[in-house]
Amino acid sequence: MPDKRTFHVWRGNAEGGDFESYDTEVDEGMVVPDVLLRVQAHQAGDLALRWNCKAGKCGSCSMEVNGKPALACMTRMNSLPEGDVTVQPLKTFPIMKDLVCDVSWNYEMNKRIPPFSPPPLPEDGRYRMMQEDVDRVQEFRKCIECFLCQDVCHVLREHARKDKFVGPRFMIRAASLDMHPLDQEDRIPAIKDEYGSGFCNITRCCTEVCPEHIGITDNGIIPLKERVVDRYYDPLAILMRKLFGGKKKAKDQPSAK
Ligand code: SF4
Ligand code: SF4
């Protein structure tokens, strides 16, 4: 027996809009985009929504379901409470149409992070890394760029400090590079001054919504903050650098094991 639900879907564009209600049937096993596509097919042919893989891997269908940022395709209808369902676009980014928003600011932030900078290949043509170093950065590389963490981060969402903080997604991209034992770039000054590490106050909201269960705060942002403190505020570390020189983490090619 199909379930009957009322979907309150935000409709509008950059100029404004409001929720419109659609009564629709919901079949067993449906996820939120299935229902929205049914609404689009039968009641609102011009409803705009973004989706692609429907397997939780492309990061396209990020939206706010019952007020909570979520991947719509990973939100099963039977996981939601009984009754009406509210669906709206991500709040942190400008609306284009209905459930589709403009996330291009994120791509601009990405461009500010210098790419991986390894040393020249050793004579034998092989880089070497410890497995634990591989594992540490691998976690961050699971990111599917759904931008749910960016949407929920209060620095961007409530305080609108896109001018000062690149957000959790790009803090973990910076972490994946800074923690890479072969990366030669000195990233700490930019992490502090350009990416705004000090703006994160470790609420962990980003970690809670990440569909890839990346330890954004504990494994990425907090270690970066510690590196900033070591560089700029630890008097002993500053004294040691003055005595023995060197501003940058030493990143020599690890010896063969
Ligand atoms: S832990 Fe930091 S980056 Fe994550 S949501 Fe909170 S303030 Fe934003
Ligand atoms: S870190 Fe997680 S929540 Fe943030 S963009 Fe990547 S996959 Fe999405």
Side-chain angles (χ1 to χ4, degrees), residues 19 22 55-56 66 84 115 129 144 193:
F19 289 93
Y22 303 95
N66 285 348
D84 296 5
M129 289 173 61
I144 57 171
D193 296 324

Side-chain angles (χ1 to χ4, degrees), residues 129-146:
M129 289 173 61
M130 300 290 288
Q131 186 59 45
E132 63 188 14
D133 288 329
V134 174
D135 294 342
R136 185 160 60 159
V137 294
Q138 192 62 31
E139 177 188 10
F140 304 129
R141 295 179 67 86
K142 290 190 302 179
C143 175
I144 57 171
E145 296 211 314
C146 64

Side-chain angles (χ1 to χ4, degrees), residues 140 142-150 168-169 172 206 209-214 216:
F140 304 129
K142 290 190 302 179
C143 175
I144 57 171
E145 296 211 314
C146 64
F147 304 130
L148 292 176
C149 58
Q150 303 285 86
R169 189 285 171 263
I172 63 155
C206 49
V209 298
C210 178
E212 289 294 319
H213 308 292
I214 299 169
I216 300 172

Side-chain angles (χ1 to χ4, degrees), residues 161-173:
R161 295 316 304 264
K162 290 196 184 88
D163 57 329
K164 293 286 185 191
F165 185 46
V166 294
R169 189 285 171 263
F170 298 103
M171 292 302 286
I172 63 155
R173 172 152 159 68

Side-chain angles (χ1 to χ4, degrees), residues 186-253:
D186 182 6
R187 300 177 187 275
I188 298 302
I191 286 167
K192 172 177 170 284
D193 296 324
E194 291 177 40
Y195 311 159
S197 60
F199 280 81
C200 166
N201 53 5
I202 317 178
T203 56
R204 295 188 173 82
C205 316
C206 49
T207 306
E208 280 175 26
V209 298
C210 178
E212 289 294 319
H213 308 292
I214 299 169
I216 300 172
T217 327
D218 288 14
N219 298 342
I221 298 178
I222 291 175
L224 288 186
K225 282 172 162 286
E226 289 169 348
R227 289 172 186 215
V228 168
V229 168
D230 284 350
R231 173 71 65 87
Y232 291 99
Y233 306 110
D234 180 344
L236 186 58
I238 292 169
L239 179 65
M240 296 291 279
R241 274 197 303 276
K242 278 193 176 149
L243 289 175
F244 302 109
K247 284 184 290 195
K248 180 184 174 333
K249 55 195 174 180
K251 286 210 160 180
D252 299 331
Q253 168 72 3

Side-chain angles (χ1 to χ4, degrees), residues 22-255:
Y22 303 95
D23 296 327
T24 181
E25 290 190 345
V26 174
D27 298 330
E28 194 177 343
M30 274 187 159
V31 290
V32 167
D34 293 326
V35 184
L36 291 171
L37 291 171
R38 178 170 281 179
V39 167
Q40 187 191 57
H42 298 289
Q43 301 180 59
D46 60 344
L47 172 64
L49 70 149
R50 189 183 273 139
W51 64 282
N52 196 349
C53 75
K54 266 184 72 186
K57 289 298 164 202
C58 73
S60 304
C61 65
S62 299
M63 58 184 75
E64 299 191 6
V65 181
N66 285 348
K68 188 175 173 207
L71 281 186
C73 74
M74 300 307 284
T75 307
R76 288 198 167 274
M77 286 302 302
N78 64 7
S79 73
L80 298 174
E82 292 288 313
D84 296 5
V85 178
T86 303
V87 188
Q88 59 198 106
L90 300 180
K91 181 185 170 189
T92 300
F93 304 109
I95 288 171
M96 296 175 82
K97 182 171 171 8
D98 303 336
L99 300 173
V100 176
C101 50
D102 177 3
V103 294
S104 58
W105 175 81
N106 294 287
Y107 304 125
E108 295 307 312
M109 295 305 102
N110 197 36
K111 285 183 203 161
R112 292 169 59 185
I113 300 177
F116 178 51
S117 309
L121 266 177
E123 275 183 14
D124 67 0
R126 294 182 180 186
Y127 290 124
R128 290 173 176 80
M129 289 173 61
M130 300 290 288
Q131 186 59 45
E132 63 188 14
D133 288 329
V134 174
D135 294 342
R136 185 160 60 159
V137 294
Q138 192 62 31
E139 177 188 10
F140 304 129
R141 295 179 67 86
K142 290 190 302 179
C143 175
I144 57 171
E145 296 211 314
C146 64
F147 304 130
L148 292 176
C149 58
Q150 303 285 86
D151 181 53
V152 83
C153 175
H154 67 100
V155 181
L156 308 175
R157 185 183 178 100
E158 268 85 36
H159 304 295
R161 295 316 304 264
K162 290 196 184 88
D163 57 329
K164 293 286 185 191
F165 185 46
V166 294
R169 189 285 171 263
F170 298 103
M171 292 302 286
I172 63 155
R173 172 152 159 68
S176 75
L177 293 161
D178 197 61
M179 293 178 188
H180 198 298
L182 296 176
D183 184 62
Q184 301 292 290
E185 181 82 22
D186 182 6
R187 300 177 187 275
I188 298 302
I191 286 167
K192 172 177 170 284
D193 296 324
E194 291 177 40
Y195 311 159
S197 60
F199 280 81
C200 166
N201 53 5
I202 317 178
T203 56
R204 295 188 173 82
C205 316
C206 49
T207 306
E208 280 175 26
V209 298
C210 178
E212 289 294 319
H213 308 292
I214 299 169
I216 300 172
T217 327
D218 288 14
N219 298 342
I221 298 178
I222 291 175
L224 288 186
K225 282 172 162 286
E226 289 169 348
R227 289 172 186 215
V228 168
V229 168
D230 284 350
R231 173 71 65 87
Y232 291 99
Y233 306 110
D234 180 344
L236 186 58
I238 292 169
L239 179 65
M240 296 291 279
R241 274 197 303 276
K242 278 193 176 149
L243 289 175
F244 302 109
K247 284 184 290 195
K248 180 184 174 333
K249 55 195 174 180
K251 286 210 160 180
D252 299 331
Q253 168 72 3
S255 58

